[in-house]
Amino acid sequence: MIAHGACPWVGLRPFGIQDEPRFFGRAIEIREVAELWQANRVTLLTGDSGIGKTSLLHAGVEPYLANSGAPVVPIGDLRYRRTLPAPVITARGRAVFALLSSWQPATDPARSVGLTIAEFFRRRIATTPPGAALLVAIDAPEAALRQPGAARHEYRNFRNELEAALQAFPQVHLLLSVRPECLAEVHRLAGALGVTPAQYELLPLDRQSAIEALTRPLLGSHLQFDTGVPARLVDTLSIEHGTSGAVVEPAMLQALCAELWEGVRREESFSGIVQKMLDDMDGTLAAFCTRTLLTLTADHGLPDCEIGGWMRRTFTMSPDGASPHVAKPAPQSDRPEEISDTVVRAVEDRHLLKRCRLASEDGFQLQHPRLASALQRLREAPIVRTDPTSAELVEEAEQAMSAGNMNLAEKYARAALALAGDAHGGNRVAALFILGDVASLRAEHEAARESYSKALEMKFAEDPKSPTIAYLFAAIARLHLLQGDIDNALGNARSGRITSVRDTIITPLEFGQALWYAKQYKAAIKELNAVLDRDPDNCEALRIRGEIYADLGKSQQAREDLSKLTTVAPPSARAAHVLAVAPHASIPRSELDELREEGRTHGMVLLNLARAADRWRDRNLAAELAGEALQATNPRLPHHHRAQAEKIARRQ
């Protein structure tokens, strides 16, 4: 039952699992995808942007399988989550943390810090009925499967860890929901497992399914269509799709529903809104485009007409100069300098453009042919600027973080902070949390500490028993540690332990690391032993302890801990392992150079490589690496380690 005054449709966002009661029109697809997933080691769900892959998985396939008793894990993804501050999401990277967190959304996020994908599989298989496949999925893994420059090491490690875990547990059946342009990368992953993936292409809605998706959410609502009206509305959006006949793209149907609700919010007559749409659907789409483009131009600091003008020039044409404009595709490269890749991705994510394949290269086309006419009428549509709430701004900031656009995330978070008053203290904390994450990821440690400290103060006043308080103390401790401020790192780590109301591993891990940097080796190892007594496979505790043992010259113990990390070892652990096996073994120069590049700002990575080179009697290389270690800032070397680096540097 829909509450009076509540929107019966989800609008322009994807459906979530909580939206299952109002997700209609995909019954056949739900069953077919579920059957493929259960029967195949790797299943690919493909389809263009806006076709509804995310909605199908969350609101359709997952609950369908769960209701049938199948061992299905919540749908995974790599989105940003404001659950743990960025500094404490380990050196293994945000992608692994995001995936593990999404697979266990009801679990304390701190439990994902020391967990590996393989260990997650092992634990879940232990509770799976014998002979049954464990069903796991990753929605939109494109970023991790490709190799973006700034994050190539992190995503390479993510892929290696995922591949190794899948090879170790053949009972796991993986579903990947991807856009068509990423199929080559997905097939490489399947090839590494020695399997041919099953593939399911999600198509637009047929006419009857579109009518069902439009009307059935209204059951129990105060809104009702007149007889025959839904079919007429759907027909205005129908396009021909090969042998499938007339179909409707879900993104455009959701845009129509969003426009219907906009009219309801303006207290217009529902029947009047519908009639206006039937009389002038292009005008309705022009209003939708106008609102969307105003948001996009504001987001990216462009003039109001910039993106719309580019889209009109590039993706529409009049056959003879006098006829109405029609849609046409264009190459990806066909855009002015101010329309960056980031802007194009944002337009695609807002479902105004979708990718297509041209004769010579990849290109884009309008999401729907009718947008060609709508774009010509942008100036006719009334410009309605609605003021967002602080909660909506926080959500926009989180989406910008997921897209990797930290400038936009900062903009939205600052706007949310300015708008949120005392009555919305939770939104103020959320905005400060995001600002801290942005600054931390930029290695702006002072700014990050300031934001986290303000969030901590507010969280104390709001809910002194919240585990977020311990997480924020841990983040502040880590930032002090990165700056070489050992005393303040220890103080904040201790405070996190004292205030923690939940048995979390975050605070002892941070405390142990701070004790190590303070040269309190025995106390540090004691903290880590306590974590490993409870969780012997905690890879973060093993990493820190192994690095301490390598630092102490206890090579055997270091190798035992660090060898357990295998594919999940970050640069600091790999450099410590190089030190632990020197001088008896060395690594190829190409591997050393790669590790040196990955850890170019990490003092301990560079120092351990310098110490290893010194043991190999390569004094020139050792001195060079030691000099780089002394210049490193993320983290800086503690005082006693600086002394070691200076000593090596002087030996040249």
Side-chain angles (χ1 to χ4, degrees):
M1 181 72 72
I2 303 297
H4 187 81
C7 181
W9 303 288
V10 302
L12 295 171
R13 67 169 175 82
F15 287 77
I17 193 168
Q18 74 279 3
D19 300 310
E20 180 198 4
R22 49 180 173 169
F23 183 67
F24 297 103
R26 291 294 200 185
I28 294 173
E29 293 91 335
I30 289 170
R31 186 180 66 254
E32 291 177 345
V33 171
E35 290 173 354
L36 275 179
W37 191 2
Q38 289 177 298
N40 292 276
R41 185 77 204 284
V42 178
T43 300
L44 310 181
L45 175 63
T46 68
D48 293 330
S49 169
I51 205 69
K53 301 185 296 296
T54 296
S55 298
L56 181 76
L57 289 178
H58 283 273
V61 177
E62 181 188 338
Y64 173 85
L65 287 166
N67 292 336
S68 69
V72 58
V73 171
I75 304 301
D77 58 61
L78 308 183
R79 289 184 296 109
Y80 168 79
R81 282 172 172 75
R82 186 175 37 82
T83 51
L84 285 183
V88 298
I89 302 180
T90 79
R92 289 176 55 212
R94 291 170 291 149
V96 172
F97 173 80
L99 181 61
L100 290 169
S101 297
S102 63
W103 278 343
Q104 42 187 359
T107 302
D108 177 1
R111 294 184 177 274
S112 296
V113 168
L115 190 62
T116 65
I117 297 175
E119 180 61 15
F120 174 83
F121 287 167
R122 188 189 67 77
R123 294 177 185 181
R124 290 302 299 260
I125 287 170
T127 64
T128 299
L134 178 67
L135 305 175
V136 301
I138 308 176
D139 184 30
E142 283 86 352
L145 293 172
R146 295 171 183 164
Q147 297 190 20
R152 65 184 184 278
H153 300 304
E154 177 184 338
Y155 286 136
R156 181 201 61 196
N157 294 341
F158 170 86
R159 293 192 300 273
N160 289 343
E161 181 173 346
L162 176 63
E163 181 182 315
L166 290 168
Q167 288 174 336
F169 294 96
Q171 311 94 308
V172 174
H173 285 197
L174 174 68
L175 183 148
L176 294 170
S177 171
V178 295
R179 295 178 182 180
E181 64 269 18
C182 197
L183 282 176
E185 290 87 346
V186 177
H187 277 280
R188 278 196 288 272
L189 173 63
L193 300 175
V195 300
T196 300
Q199 187 167 328
Y200 189 95
E201 182 184 3
L202 188 61
L203 299 175
L205 294 162
D206 62 40
R207 183 173 185 269
Q208 188 55 46
S209 296
I211 294 171
E212 184 181 340
L214 176 63
T215 58
R216 289 193 62 181
L218 295 182
L219 295 176
S221 165
H222 64 292
L223 305 175
Q224 295 297 322
F225 288 107
D226 293 334
T227 303
V229 166
R232 293 171 61 196
L233 280 173
V234 164
D235 287 343
T236 64
L237 294 179
S238 295
I239 56 175
E240 291 299 316
H241 190 278
T243 58
S244 301
V247 296
V248 177
E249 295 199 357
M252 298 310 299
L253 187 64
Q254 286 184 256
L256 181 147
C257 293
E259 292 304 306
L260 283 170
W261 187 246
E262 279 295 317
V264 173
R265 289 176 61 184
R266 293 192 298 267
E267 300 184 352
E268 298 178 19
S269 157
F270 187 61
S271 59
I273 302 164
V274 172
Q275 190 59 51
K276 190 186 300 183
M277 285 188 169
L278 290 171
D279 292 341
D280 187 12
M281 181 56 72
D282 289 341
T284 296
L285 293 178
F288 160 68
C289 288
T290 298
R291 271 197 300 277
T292 303
L293 291 170
L294 283 173
T295 299
L296 289 170
T297 52
D299 284 351
H300 298 279
L302 297 171
D304 284 349
C305 61
E306 192 74 47
I307 301 176
W310 163 66
M311 291 180 66
R312 278 197 302 269
R313 294 189 302 272
T314 308
F315 300 105
T316 75
M317 61 174 288
S318 174
D320 55 14
S323 303
H325 281 69
V326 296
K328 72 178 182 73
Q332 290 191 37
S333 56
D334 193 358
R335 61 178 188 265
E337 184 178 342
E338 57 270 20
I339 305 296
S340 64
D341 287 341
T342 301
V343 172
V344 175
R345 283 196 299 271
V347 176
E348 185 183 9
D349 289 341
R350 297 275 182 169
H351 306 312
L352 294 181
L353 288 177
K354 61 182 178 181
R355 293 175 185 264
C356 63
R357 181 64 190 170
L358 303 179
S360 58
E361 63 175 299
D362 290 335
F364 284 98
Q365 62 186 8
L366 296 178
Q367 184 78 39
H368 191 279
R370 289 199 79 146
L371 291 179
S373 297
L375 286 168
Q376 308 308 311
R377 299 178 56 180
L378 291 179
R379 295 182 182 88
E380 300 174 20
I383 297 177
V384 181
R385 297 183 186 269
T386 56
D387 294 328
T389 65
S390 58
E392 289 170 339
L393 289 166
V394 166
E395 186 176 342
E396 291 285 355
E398 291 174 337
Q399 291 177 3
M401 289 290 280
S402 293
N405 191 335
M406 288 192 285
N407 291 337
L408 184 57
E410 180 182 14
K411 175 181 175 180
Y412 274 123
R414 292 198 183 283
L417 187 61
L419 189 61
D422 292 338
H424 304 285
N427 292 328
R428 294 168 69 194
V429 171
L432 285 165
F433 198 116
I434 294 169
L435 288 172
D437 283 355
V438 168
S440 174
L441 293 169
R442 291 173 173 165
E444 297 169 355
H445 303 318
E446 290 286 349
R449 282 201 294 109
E450 181 180 353
S451 292
Y452 290 139
S453 296
K454 289 179 180 177
L456 178 60
E457 183 180 345
M458 291 181 185
K459 197 65 182 176
F460 254 129
E462 174 191 303
D463 181 9
K465 294 185 178 181
S466 171
T468 301
I469 291 169
Y471 302 156
L472 287 167
F473 268 126
I476 294 168
R478 176 67 68 92
L479 290 166
H480 279 299
L481 205 63
L482 292 173
Q483 293 178 288
D485 186 350
I486 310 303
D487 290 341
N488 274 315
L490 281 170
N492 280 277
R494 284 195 183 98
S495 296
R497 295 192 67 186
I498 294 168
T499 58
S500 180
V501 295
R502 181 182 289 174
D503 186 21
T504 175
I505 65 165
I506 291 295
T507 46
L509 289 174
E510 291 302 321
F511 194 41
Q513 189 147 285
L515 287 166
W516 167 31
Y517 276 46
K519 210 174 179 180
Q520 299 181 39
Y521 294 104
K522 289 184 179 179
I525 290 173
K526 182 178 178 181
E527 288 290 323
L528 299 165
N529 286 345
V531 173
L532 291 165
D533 284 343
R534 289 182 292 160
D535 182 6
D537 297 304
N538 187 287
C539 65
E540 186 67 354
L542 287 167
R543 176 190 72 79
I544 300 171
R545 193 176 70 176
E547 291 181 24
I548 294 173
Y549 281 142
D551 188 25
L552 288 170
K554 296 185 176 182
S555 298
Q556 179 64 32
Q557 294 96 319
R559 290 197 299 271
E560 288 176 1
D561 279 352
L562 297 172
S563 63
K564 295 175 184 176
L565 303 182
T566 58
T567 60
V568 305
S572 61
R574 284 156 38 215
H577 191 267
V578 170
L579 176 61
V581 299
H584 306 294
S586 61
I587 61 174
R589 184 58 187 259
S590 60
E591 187 177 335
L592 186 144
D593 288 342
E594 183 179 358
L595 185 51
R596 181 182 186 178
E597 170 61 22
E598 280 191 66
R600 65 186 180 279
T601 64
H602 195 298
M604 285 305 299
V605 169
L606 296 165
L607 175 59
N608 282 338
L609 292 178
R611 293 163 72 183
D614 194 47
R615 293 181 182 180
W616 300 328
R617 300 187 182 281
D618 190 337
R619 297 293 170 79
N620 290 334
L621 176 61
E624 190 177 320
L625 288 163
E628 293 175 11
L630 290 166
Q631 297 299 316
T633 58
N634 193 29
R636 298 180 188 277
L637 287 175
H639 292 304
H640 60 287
H641 287 127
R642 292 189 70 82
Q644 293 179 24
E646 289 167 354
K647 185 177 180 180
I648 294 172
R650 286 195 299 267
R651 289 181 188 160
Q652 188 174 18

